Amino acid sequence: MNNTLPGYETHPNDIEQMMTLFAPSLTIDKQLLDLIESFSRQGKMLPFFLLIKVVEQVPIAISITDKKANILYINQAFTDTTGYRPAEILGRNESELSAKSTPRQVYYDLWHTITRKKIWRGRLINKNKNGAPYLAELTIAPMQDEQGKITHYIGMHRDITQTHASEQKLINQKQLIESVINASPVAMVVIDKNDRVVLDNQVYKMMISDLGLTEPVLFFLKLLRQDMGDLWQYAARKERGFVNRELRIEGIDKRGTRWYACSGNWFAEKETGADAFFSGETKDYLLLSFSDITQQRRQQEELHLQNLRTILAEEEQIRSIRETLLGAMHQIRQPLNQISAAINIMSHRNDIQNQPLRELLEQVGTKGEETLETLQRCVPEIPETAVIPVNLNQILHEVVELSSYKLLANGIVIDWRPSSTLPSVLGSENKLRMLFKQLIDNAIEAMNRAGSRERSIAIATHVDNDRVNVSIEDTGPGIHPDQRIKVFQPFYTTRPMGTIKAGMGLVMVQEIVNQHKAGIEIDPNYDQGCRFKIGFPIYRNAKTKR
Ligand code: FAD
């Protein structure tokens, strides 16, 4: 509907020029026209006048042009933005504003759009009256007459130089951070509070193929949480970090054992959503970095194994002396007990005739006890070592390495099936090594004794609830159900009689198991040989005090 504006002649002077230009061709919506008329009848200020005032005062540079972009009207914000007052720009082309550095294609696209009666939005490089360039965010809308022919264009633009600079700065900073992170030789990954990856680097991506895991961080997180216990929650709550926690990963898919030093830092970022504008809510993130220290650890391990060989040789010597002495003491103890029983019988019978024999027996008994005491003093102690969090995969691996010569010499194959990650247990490394060494030595001996054709020892670890379980199974003759409890008693042996150095190995194993609050059993369901199952309580970090 085309209508002439009522009350047109009442407009103030400053908009008169504009009204002269537009009034004949303005298309006014019926609803708006009704509203204007009703205001007019009530003798109130005309809404059209108000609309013009709004256009005049709105803080966006507005210009109205003819079909060739010759400027017919500008508002105050146009003057503020460009520096041009109406007298200086009216009648001139919008191209006056061009800094001549916008690509031609942009103008082509602009005109192509608006001449097709569509609204164009884009960015151009303009220059103000003083020649200073600025970035303009421009919207151009075509105005049409009742026949649908374009009569004018309305352009609205704002100077977004500052906004663009800030945006660009942000992008630059992001790119800088990303390139620094990507250039880092350390794998880095940022996760949100739902463990979703929000940023990672090239080295982290390489870990995906190295470890054969789709999202390695989830695997590491599980391990870290298990390992750090309450400490994890505490550090997360306090936005504290942790440095160089060593993580050992057993060969996934036949890949070798890997070690990583892992550090983590929690940080919070202000929420950017509209909802958080006043509340100042924050989002929590965790930056994790992983350095592959496999090579260093392998070298260290090699040195460590050399030391261990020496230590273990000494320990075996001690163990052998202990067993020999304890065996000898056991052998002396038996006749001494018989002598003591004979003396008791003689005393009860008040046997005066055999008094000299009784005295002789008493002398022998006393001498025997003295000998036992002397021998007891000679029994060397197993050296005590510090009790620390221990990775049983590491200990078992060391024991297998240390036994490799013996295993090879006896044609025994080791089937090593470690859990890919293992939480720590609290223990003495030395004692644990002695424990596993004893079980492996027993297995080798049993298979040799029985002349087993298939000769293998399977060693496996796995986590079950609050325990780290180790199983060591052989393909030897096994232990008869009647003997499964007795083998843990001192000097009980399934070996042929006649050896003095026998029957103390599993006593030591039981003792070490007890010291570690662990449990040991011979699996009754395994009938291919003998399977020892040992369950150790998982070590949980004590809650950190505030
Ligand atoms: P011009 O010779 O003006 O035009 C370059 C190309 O634009 C031509 O080759 C042609 O393809 C196309 N073109 C030009 N005029 C027409 C037309 N009448 N019909 C169809 N196609 C045409 N430019 C700015 O740089 N800054 C602004 O702030 C700005 N605001 C504008 C506001 C409005 C309402 C309108 C309608 C245009 C605006 N323009 C603006 C575009 C401006 O009119 C020029 O097209 C542009 O500045 C390029 O100028 P030029 O002298 O380099 O080339």
Side-chain angles (χ1 to χ4, degrees):
M1 181 192 282
N2 190 15
N3 295 281
T4 323
L5 290 166
Y8 167 72
E9 61 283 1
T10 63
H11 295 155
N13 289 337
D14 57 348
I15 56 166
E16 232 164 59
Q17 180 200 7
M18 185 184 154
M19 295 313 303
T20 321
L21 286 164
F22 289 108
S25 60
L26 276 181
T27 304
I28 308 256
D29 182 79
K30 166 94 173 61
Q31 223 183 329
L32 185 58
L33 190 70
D34 291 347
L35 191 72
I36 292 167
E37 279 175 346
S38 108
F39 268 83
S40 176
R41 278 196 302 275
Q42 291 167 37
K44 290 183 182 168
M45 192 193 282
L46 291 174
F48 183 76
F49 173 69
L50 277 180
L51 288 176
I52 295 297
K53 272 290 169 206
V54 168
V55 171
E56 183 61 28
Q57 288 170 15
V58 78
I60 293 176
I62 294 181
S63 58
I64 299 175
T65 72
D66 63 12
K67 281 169 66 181
K68 292 186 174 171
N70 296 314
I71 301 172
L72 305 173
Y73 167 79
I74 59 166
N75 70 352
Q76 183 54 46
F78 190 99
T79 304
D80 297 342
T81 307
T82 63
Y84 289 109
R85 285 197 301 273
E88 296 165 320
I89 196 84
L90 292 183
R92 292 167 72 180
N93 197 278
E94 292 274 7
S95 62
E96 285 288 323
L97 297 175
S98 170
K100 308 290 177 207
S101 44
T102 303
R104 302 303 301 168
Q105 182 58 36
V106 178
Y107 295 126
Y108 176 81
D109 178 53
L110 180 160
W111 283 105
H112 187 78
T113 308
I114 60 175
T115 50
R116 273 161 190 72
K117 300 173 187 171
K118 289 191 185 134
I119 293 173
W120 183 86
R121 289 186 185 87
R123 290 177 174 191
L124 306 172
I125 304 167
N126 275 358
K127 63 174 173 26
N128 64 19
K129 188 178 153 188
N130 297 329
Y134 68 92
L135 187 68
E137 190 173 66
L138 174 67
T139 301
I140 303 177
M143 294 167 72
Q144 301 165 51
D145 63 13
E146 59 180 355
Q147 277 88 40
K149 280 208 320 238
I150 295 172
T151 56
H152 301 86
Y153 293 110
I154 300 185
M156 288 161 276
H157 83 263
R158 33 186 208 112
D159 179 351
I160 57 154
T161 314
Q162 282 302 325
T163 320
H164 172 75
S166 309
E167 277 171 13
Q168 204 51 49
K169 218 167 153 182
L170 212 69
I171 292 166
N172 291 347
Q173 272 172 359
K174 191 168 170 272
Q175 274 170 354
L176 182 75
I177 292 170
E178 278 175 0
S179 57
V180 168
I181 287 181
N182 265 335
S184 160
V186 170
M188 285 184 175
V189 59
V190 176
I191 52 161
D192 66 12
K193 64 176 182 199
N194 298 316
D195 293 351
R196 271 190 308 245
V197 174
V198 290
L199 183 74
D200 60 9
N201 70 351
Q202 286 304 326
V203 187
Y204 175 79
K205 288 188 177 86
M206 270 156 63
M207 271 171 82
I208 298 175
S209 55
D210 271 5
L211 295 173
L213 299 166
T214 10
E215 203 59 277
V217 72
L218 299 178
F219 179 79
F220 283 112
L221 278 172
K222 193 173 157 210
L223 194 60
L224 283 163
R225 285 183 179 128
Q226 228 171 31
D227 217 35
M228 290 175 66
D230 290 346
L231 200 63
W232 177 272
Q233 297 297 340
Y234 175 79
R237 247 192 345 262
K238 297 270 168 191
E239 281 179 24
R240 296 243 170 103
F242 57 90
V243 204
N244 288 339
R245 286 198 85 91
E246 208 174 291
L247 303 175
R248 181 193 168 99
I249 298 179
E250 294 307 327
I252 300 169
D253 288 346
K254 305 271 179 236
R255 291 165 171 91
T257 307
R258 308 294 290 258
W259 284 265
Y260 290 92
C262 174
S263 303
N265 262 307
W266 277 269
F267 64 93
E269 194 188 76
K270 288 244 164 71
E271 279 273 14
T272 47
D275 288 353
F277 184 76
F278 292 110
S279 67
E281 275 172 51
T282 54
K283 263 189 196 164
D284 297 325
Y285 293 100
L286 170 62
L287 166 68
L288 286 166
S289 60
F290 305 93
S291 342
D292 190 338
I293 51 164
T294 308
Q295 218 166 349
Q296 296 97 298
R297 281 303 266 113
R298 285 219 175 108
Q299 284 165 359
Q300 279 172 13
E301 205 171 62
E302 200 40 58
L303 282 173
H304 184 57
L305 278 174
Q306 280 171 19
N307 287 337
L308 280 182
R309 274 188 194 104
T310 321
I311 294 170
L312 218 75
E314 283 169 16
E315 278 173 4
E316 275 200 347
Q317 221 172 354
I318 292 173
R319 248 173 57 200
S320 155
I321 296 170
R322 267 176 73 92
E323 264 198 51
T324 311
L325 286 173
L326 291 170
M329 284 165 70
H330 180 66
Q331 301 239 341
I332 296 170
R333 170 60 59 202
Q334 280 171 343
L336 276 181
N337 287 347
Q338 286 164 358
I339 289 171
S340 157
I343 294 170
N344 268 343
I345 294 166
M346 285 168 131
S347 311
H348 271 95
R349 287 192 188 153
N350 210 3
D351 195 345
I352 300 176
Q353 266 187 342
N354 285 324
Q355 182 63 22
L357 176 63
R358 188 180 144 186
E359 281 172 11
L360 184 69
L361 285 177
E362 278 172 351
Q363 276 175 24
V364 173
T366 315
K367 272 280 163 218
E369 289 297 341
E370 281 171 16
T371 311
L372 279 182
E373 273 173 35
T374 312
L375 285 176
Q376 181 66 57
R377 279 197 295 275
C378 295
V379 175
E381 287 297 321
I382 297 171
E384 284 290 335
T385 50
V387 173
I388 51 168
V390 177
N391 184 309
L392 289 183
N393 276 344
Q394 169 82 28
I395 299 285
L396 285 159
H397 172 76
E398 284 169 4
V399 173
V400 171
E401 285 290 314
L402 291 167
S403 309
S404 57
Y405 179 74
K406 199 170 177 181
L407 290 162
L408 209 69
N410 288 287
I412 292 167
V413 180
I414 285 282
D415 180 7
W416 175 222
R417 291 185 233 139
S419 156
S420 54
T421 64
L422 214 55
S424 305
V425 303
L426 207 58
S428 148
E429 290 186 327
N430 261 12
K431 288 188 175 172
L432 289 167
R433 267 191 298 268
M434 282 170 78
L435 183 162
F436 297 128
K437 177 91 171 43
Q438 182 66 52
L439 293 179
I440 290 173
D441 285 353
N442 285 356
I444 298 173
E445 203 189 313
M447 287 188 285
N448 279 347
R449 205 169 356 106
S452 309
R453 280 179 64 198
E454 197 202 326
R455 297 152 82 81
S456 73
I457 300 176
I459 304 174
T461 55
H462 73 275
V463 185
D464 180 16
N465 294 326
D466 274 355
R467 295 185 94 71
V468 172
N469 295 310
V470 177
S471 90
I472 299 180
E473 65 190 45
D474 60 49
T475 50
I479 298 176
H480 193 272
D482 297 345
Q483 296 176 324
R484 282 182 191 149
I485 306 255
K486 289 182 193 159
V487 288
F488 290 102
Q489 291 167 4
F491 304 110
Y492 185 87
T493 179
T494 56
R495 297 176 190 117
M497 292 300 287
T499 166
I500 195 170
K501 192 186 148 214
M504 286 304 282
L506 286 182
V507 177
M508 179 199 70
V509 164
Q510 181 71 70
E511 199 182 315
I512 297 175
V513 163
N514 293 347
Q515 285 165 355
H516 287 81
K517 297 188 175 64
I520 185 164
E521 64 157 342
I522 298 167
D523 189 350
N525 303 318
Y526 182 71
D527 56 6
Q528 308 296 306
C530 178
R531 180 194 280 154
F532 280 92
K533 286 168 47 174
I534 316 143
F536 293 86
I538 290 176
Y539 167 64
R540 300 250 177 248
N541 256 314
K543 197 173 177 177
T544 311
K545 293 192 176 72
R546 278 150 201 252

